[in-house]
Amino acid sequence: MTLISFIPKVHLTIEIFVKLFFMKFNPYIPLVGALISLIALLPFPVEFYTFTRITISLCSAYAAFGFYKEDHNVWIVFALVTVLYNPILPIYLYDRSLWQVLNVLTALVFSYSYSLRPEKNLYIFLYFGKFILIGGLLFWMIV
């Protein structure tokens, strides 16, 4: 690879980071992470859980970056969720029931982050949070 062919790629990478930094935070992306973590409570093949790791880690990294830009301290929790669910260096817990508890907690964290948004619809957050908590606990007790 020559230096001339490398320069446009570096410029494109810098341009992408600048666009991400000045982009407005979309509050629905963490809700997608909550939904995926709730769907992961159901029994699926291993490949689906790899998809779950990728999706939840991307959603939590996006939320961590967005809340870091806005000076909310909740970005630290999302950074920890990103580390827990990262697909590159995965953390294996080998216990499905422990992952189910973590999925319910992750969904609660994602739905709580929706309440921190100034343009939130509070009723959606309240009902969604109650649904996650009660539904997740019932599912965990049944399984």
Side-chain angles (χ1 to χ4, degrees), residues 3-138:
L3 182 62
I4 295 173
S5 64
F6 183 71
I7 290 174
K9 292 178 184 177
V10 170
H11 176 69
L12 182 63
T13 306
I14 292 171
E15 186 177 329
I16 289 172
F17 282 122
V18 168
K19 284 182 181 179
L20 279 175
F21 188 75
F22 291 110
M23 186 173 73
K24 185 178 177 194
F25 183 73
N26 186 350
Y28 297 111
I29 291 178
L31 289 181
V32 170
L35 183 66
I36 295 289
S37 66
L38 288 178
I39 291 173
L41 293 172
L42 301 172
F44 286 104
V46 176
E47 293 81 17
F48 177 77
Y49 295 112
T50 304
F51 165 74
T52 303
R53 279 183 177 268
I54 293 169
T55 307
I56 292 176
S57 66
L58 288 175
C59 289
S60 62
Y62 177 80
F65 182 69
F67 285 118
Y68 177 76
K69 282 190 337 184
E70 295 177 356
D71 260 353
H72 284 288
N73 288 334
V74 75
W75 74 268
I76 297 169
V77 175
F78 282 109
L80 293 174
V81 170
T82 303
V83 169
L84 179 66
Y85 282 95
N86 82 74
I88 298 168
L89 296 171
I91 296 174
Y92 295 108
L93 299 178
Y94 300 111
D95 188 15
R96 181 162 164 73
S97 61
L98 185 59
W99 273 113
Q100 288 176 341
V101 171
L102 287 174
N103 283 336
V104 170
L105 291 175
T106 302
L108 286 173
V109 166
F110 277 126
S111 62
Y112 172 72
S113 73
Y114 186 73
S115 73
L116 297 175
R117 303 300 308 149
E119 65 272 358
K120 67 183 180 280
N121 186 347
L122 188 60
Y123 294 111
I124 291 175
F125 167 72
L126 290 175
Y127 292 123
F128 190 66
K130 288 178 184 178
F131 172 75
I132 290 171
L133 185 61
I134 294 170
L137 291 175
L138 287 175

